[in-house]
Amino acid sequence: LRVGDYVMAIGNPLLLDHTVTVGVVSAKGRSIGLTRDSSFENFIQTDAAINRGNSGGPLVNLAGEVIGISTAMSYGAENIGFAVPVDTLRSVLPQLRESGRVRRGFLGVNVNNIDYKTMRGFGLDSTDGALVTAVTDDTPAAKAGLEPGDVILNVDQHRVKATRDLIDYVSAQSPGKTVELDVIREGKHLSKKVVLEERPAEQETAEEQPKESKEKELEWLGIQYGDLSSEARERLQLPGNLGGVAVLNVAPSSPLYDEGVRPGDVISQVNGARIDSARTFERIVGAARSGDFLRLYVHSVGRQGLFSRFAIVEVP
């Protein structure tokens, strides 16, 4: 699949079944923050119109071959849609059929791509490879002796030209499998055998999700939020009379992202109605109809103190 190739999206947008839209592949390997851990995000971006109801439908090439699964769209933009590559489906479908969940291989490192400056700084011959920037304690990588500054060139003799090659290969392996890494450290080639473990489940930190609040999510709005606890209120130094919900995460594809809403902000009103809990927020936003405009009163705490403004979005 190449950028510029013609593709077609087939689905059921807005209850209009068997709808076909045509466009091109705009980009590959996109990460859009749809999940908290974007390491595995490897979306195909296309300008073939994808709307609500397309999700789960096929993205096909001109030969009629399925190359992706329509998954997401960017609100506030014209024809920016995303599809999961069919290779991802091939790798996880057997696990879903067998156990109903996906188990991914886990190394326990943070890696970056290598640019020209990094190549010169580490005395490398090319920009191929994945630079290890951190190794988490008590993980397979730590047990195998990997260190920050190592450059991974191959995994099981598969060339690693960029971090995506390493991430995709390792995550496709079953926990318990041993992989062999070809590593450069201070100009010397090393071989490291690593026994992969199962990637741990995503966990929230205390700041991301206060114990008193139950996080909720509205799919089209693209944010995660929770009740404004006393801990969060004290941490953000909010006035005692300010109520609302705390914004925990904002996806780049969210219409609120373009309005400048970020994690740590507080939404106190929607269309003039005061918000006293996550449940109230969900009830008011959920009652809005397609085409309605929502006026959210948003507060941010910065160096200059409390900054308040309105964020306005249209319900799709």
Side-chain angles (χ1 to χ4, degrees), residues 19-316:
T19 294
V20 177
T21 54
V22 179
V24 299
V25 174
S26 305
K28 299 190 298 180
R30 289 295 199 206
S31 177
I32 60 175
L34 198 61
T35 61
R36 286 190 184 85
D37 187 348
S38 60
S39 298
F40 306 119
E41 293 189 1
N42 182 25
F43 290 105
I44 301 168
Q45 180 184 332
T46 178
D47 67 347
I50 294 176
N51 295 284
R52 296 185 69 185
N54 274 106
S55 294
L59 187 72
V60 303
N61 60 19
L62 294 187
E65 298 168 323
V66 177
I67 59 170
I69 305 168
S70 298
T71 304
M73 57 184 174
S74 179
Y75 287 99
E78 292 293 334
N79 292 359
I80 297 181
F82 304 93
V84 172
V86 72
D87 284 349
T88 300
L89 173 64
R90 287 195 182 104
S91 66
V92 303
L93 191 55
Q95 294 188 52
L96 292 174
R97 284 173 171 163
E98 181 178 345
S99 62
R101 69 186 186 96
V102 177
R103 301 173 69 232
R104 298 183 184 273
F106 176 62
L107 267 180
V109 296
N110 293 343
V111 290
N112 280 347
N113 288 324
I114 299 172
D115 56 17
Y116 178 77
K117 186 177 180 180
T118 303
M119 179 190 76
R120 294 296 301 273
F122 280 83
L124 303 173
D125 295 329
S126 74
T127 57
D128 288 356
L131 174 65
V132 177
T133 58
V135 179
T136 305
D137 292 338
D138 197 30
T139 60
K143 296 172 184 176
L146 264 70
E147 299 177 359
D150 287 349
V151 176
I152 301 174
L153 296 180
N154 298 282
V155 52
D156 285 345
Q157 299 183 349
H158 291 269
R159 188 68 175 170
V160 176
K161 295 183 68 68
T163 57
R164 175 57 55 191
D165 300 321
L166 178 66
I167 292 170
D168 288 349
Y169 184 86
V170 171
S171 63
Q173 308 308 309
S174 300
K177 180 179 178 180
T178 300
V179 297
E180 185 172 358
L181 303 178
D182 178 21
V183 176
I184 289 184
R185 178 184 297 169
E186 299 296 340
K188 297 180 180 179
H189 279 268
L190 304 175
S191 179
K192 295 287 186 179
K193 290 187 177 181
V194 186
V195 180
L196 301 179
E197 297 177 3
E198 181 174 357
R199 188 172 189 86
E202 294 176 3
Q203 297 179 346
E204 299 289 344
T205 65
E207 286 191 359
E208 289 173 332
Q209 184 176 2
K211 294 181 179 178
E212 297 89 344
S213 67
K214 181 180 179 182
E215 182 183 313
K216 297 179 182 294
E217 184 173 357
L218 290 171
E219 181 180 356
W220 73 267
L221 199 55
I223 67 170
Q224 294 160 346
Y225 54 91
D227 290 330
L228 189 58
S229 68
S230 57
E231 293 178 3
R233 184 184 298 278
E234 182 178 355
R235 174 167 50 83
L236 297 173
Q237 298 181 344
L238 300 175
N241 61 348
L242 179 63
V245 292
V247 178
L248 305 178
N249 190 44
V250 185
S253 56
S254 166
L256 287 175
Y257 189 90
D258 292 336
E259 292 290 315
V261 177
R262 296 294 184 268
D265 288 353
V266 175
I267 301 173
S268 65
Q269 296 181 22
V270 177
N271 286 354
R274 292 188 178 275
I275 303 299
D276 55 11
S277 66
R279 179 175 297 181
T280 302
F281 179 75
E282 187 173 45
R283 175 177 54 80
I284 294 175
V285 175
R289 298 179 179 180
S290 177
D292 288 350
F293 284 86
L294 296 180
R295 184 180 69 252
L296 286 71
Y297 197 33
V298 182
H299 311 272
S300 303
V301 178
R303 295 181 179 179
Q304 305 297 326
L306 189 67
F307 172 69
S308 304
R309 77 277 187 193
F310 286 99
I312 301 175
V313 296
E314 183 178 5
V315 181

